[in-house]
Amino acid sequence: MFFGFFLCLDAFLYVFTLLPLRVLLAFIRFITLPCCGLSDGRLLQPAQVCDILKGVILVICYFMMHYVDYSMMYHLIRGQSVIKLYIIYNMLEVADRLFSSFGQDILDALYWTATEHKERKRAHLGVIPHFFMAVLYVFLHAILILVQATTLNVAFNSHNKSLLTIMMSNNFVEIKGSVFKKFEKNNLFQMSNSDIKERFTNYVLLLIVCLRNMEQFSWNPDHLWVLFPDVCMVIASEIAVDVVKHAFITKFNDITADVYSEYRASLAFELVSSRQKNAYTDYSDSVSRRMGFIPLPLAVLLIRVVTSSVKVQGVLAYACVVLFYFGLITLKVLNSILLLGKSCQYVKEAKMEDKLFQSPPTATPGKTPRKAQNKSKTNQGVPTDDAPSTSVTNQPARQNSTVPLLVQSNPDQFLTTPDGEEKDITQDGTELKHRSANKDLLEIDRFTICGNRID
C-alpha cells in the first residue's frame, strides 16, 4: 500500500506539473506546423492530442466550478441532522466508486476516438459527443468530491464531534462487510487497490478541509494545531481499519502475507512496461484503470479550492508561486525516478524481466483464431477441444508449453495482457529466447518519465 500510494501521488502530480508543459509543447507544435510539416499524415501525434484534450477538459471544468457556491453548500449540509449526514456520506462513498468505475472508460473512449486513424473527414465529428460526455463526467465527479469534502468539513467544525465519530465508525462497519466473505487472491488484489485509492483520496479531502478552515481563520497558525488532532485521528482510524481488515481476510481465507509482495510486483511490472518507448498508454492511465483512481476531477477541485483560498497579490507572491511550481516539478521527477528504480528491483526479484520484451500481439483483443488455436494445440500435444480465451475476467488454463509466446494471465501473478493470435510456438519460442537474452531493464526509455514519448 505504501508503494501504491506513491503511484497515485505520481499520477496526481503529473496533472499539475508536466501536463501544462506538454500542452504548451503541443500548441507550439501546432503553431509551427507550416515549418515542420506533417508526420505520418497527422497534424499532431496521438500523445499530444491526448495532452490537449486533458488540458482543455481541466480548463473548462475549472471555470464551470466557479458557478458552484461552496458557502451555500456548506450551510445547507450543516443544517441537516447528524443521522441524515451519516447516510449522505455513505451514499457519496458509493457514488464515488460508481463514478470512478465508468469514468476512465469515458476518458479512454474520448482518447481512442480522437487518435484513431480516420478514412473520412466526417468521422472526426465523432469526437465532439465524447468530449462533451467527458467534460460532464469530470464536472459531476468534481462536485461529488466537493460534497464529500464539505460533509467532512462540517464534521470537523461540529461542537460535540459526534458526526466525526460516527463517520470514523463507518470504517469499522467496512470490516464487518469484508472479513466474513470468501476472497480469492485476485479479489484481494482488487480490494487492496481500492483501499490505496480510497486512502489517497481521503488525504486530499483532509487537505481541502484544512485549506478551507485556515482561510476562515485568516491563516492563523494556532488554528492548525486545533485541526491537527482530528486529522491524525481520521488517518489513524483509516490505517487501523485497513490493517485489521486485511489481517482477518488473509487469516480466514488461508492466504499468506507473501501475496502482497506479488501485488507490489504486479504494479511494478505495469509501471516498467509503460515506460518502454513503444508503450501504448501513459502510466497515469494505467494507474487509473488498475486502482480506479482518476486524477482529473480531484485536480479540478483542488485547483478551485486553492485559487479561492489563497490570494496572490504583488510581485513577490507571484515569484513564490513560480518557485512552488518548480518545487512540484522537482518532487514529481524525483518521485518518478525512485518509483522506476524500485519497480525495476521488484520486477527482477519476481523474475518477470522476460515478459517485458515479448512482441505485442496482432490479432483482435479477446478473440483467438481457431486455426491458430488448433495449430498451437497440435504443437503442445493437447486435444483439440475449445480452450478458454485469456481475458481480464477469465483466467487462462495453464498450458504444457515451456516457452509460451504470450504472457499468460496467471492468478498467482495478477498480470493481465491483451489476447492475440497464437503463432507456431516451436518457431517463435526459439526466436523469443534469442530476443529476450539480449534484453535488459536498462533498455527502458527513461524519457517517458514525463509521459508518453513524443518523437
Side-chain angles (χ1 to χ4, degrees), residues 185-396:
K185 288 186 177 180
N186 281 337
N187 304 122
L188 184 58
F189 186 35
Q190 295 173 1
M191 172 176 284
S192 301
N193 291 328
S194 177
D195 290 340
I196 293 170
K197 175 254 180 184
E198 182 181 355
R199 185 178 298 183
F200 184 83
T201 305
N202 287 339
Y203 290 164
V204 178
L205 291 179
L206 290 174
L207 176 61
I208 293 174
V209 169
C210 291
L211 286 174
R212 297 300 301 182
N213 277 276
M214 291 299 291
E215 180 200 5
Q216 297 299 323
F217 286 88
S218 302
W219 297 97
N220 185 7
D222 295 335
H223 185 68
L224 183 61
W225 297 109
V226 177
L227 295 173
F228 188 72
D230 294 334
V231 172
C232 292
M233 190 166 52
V234 172
I235 294 175
S237 67
E238 184 75 25
I239 295 176
V241 166
D242 286 341
V243 169
V244 172
K245 179 176 68 175
H246 283 269
F248 277 102
I249 287 176
T250 52
K251 173 181 171 58
F252 292 152
N253 294 278
D254 196 20
I255 300 175
T256 62
D258 295 335
V259 74
Y260 292 99
S261 299
E262 300 176 17
Y263 298 159
R264 184 181 60 189
S266 180
L267 294 177
F269 180 87
E270 290 184 351
L271 188 149
V272 174
S273 60
S274 65
R275 296 305 189 196
Q276 298 182 95
K277 185 175 180 180
N278 59 348
Y280 293 108
T281 180
D282 187 58
Y283 179 66
S284 60
D285 296 327
S286 300
V287 173
S288 301
R289 295 187 193 96
R290 172 65 75 181
M291 298 185 180
F293 173 69
I294 305 176
L296 286 182
L298 206 57
V300 168
L301 178 60
L302 187 59
I303 294 173
R304 175 70 182 91
V305 171
V306 170
T307 53
S308 62
S309 301
V310 180
K311 305 300 181 183
V312 180
Q313 297 176 352
V315 179
L316 183 60
Y318 282 102
C320 292
V321 171
V322 173
L323 291 176
F324 181 73
Y325 175 70
F326 282 115
L328 284 180
I329 292 180
T330 305
L331 177 62
K332 164 69 174 73
V333 174
L334 288 176
N335 188 40
S336 299
I337 293 174
L338 289 175
L339 283 176
L340 186 58
K342 297 298 290 185
S343 298
C344 292
Q345 176 186 341
Y346 297 146
V347 169
K348 286 183 178 180
E349 291 175 356
K351 299 179 181 179
M352 298 180 181
E353 297 175 73
D354 294 339
K355 299 175 183 178
L356 288 171
F357 309 107
Q358 297 181 10
S359 58
T362 56
T364 304
K367 296 182 181 179
T368 304
R370 189 170 298 276
K371 290 183 180 179
Q373 281 185 352
N374 295 335
K375 191 174 183 181
S376 62
K377 285 181 232 169
T378 304
N379 292 330
Q380 298 172 8
V382 179
T384 58
D385 296 331
D386 290 340
S389 60
T390 57
S391 65
V392 175
T393 55
N394 298 324
Q395 301 295 334

Side-chain angles (χ1 to χ4, degrees), residues 21 46 51 98 105-106 118 161 233 257 268-269 287 369 415 448:
L21 298 178
D51 292 335
L98 294 178
D105 295 335
I106 294 175
K118 303 174 180 62
K161 305 294 182 182
M233 190 166 52
F269 180 87
V287 173
L415 300 176
T448 55

Side-chain angles (χ1 to χ4, degrees), residues 32-47:
T32 59
L33 191 62
C35 303
C36 302
L38 297 177
S39 59
D40 300 331
R42 291 178 177 269
L43 295 176
L44 295 172
Q45 296 184 26

Side-chain angles (χ1 to χ4, degrees), residues 38-64:
L38 297 177
S39 59
D40 300 331
R42 291 178 177 269
L43 295 176
L44 295 172
Q45 296 184 26
Q48 293 175 321
V49 174
C50 294
D51 292 335
I52 290 179
L53 288 174
K54 290 178 183 178
V56 173
I57 290 174
L58 275 175
V59 172
I60 293 178
C61 293
Y62 169 74
F63 284 107
M64 291 173 67

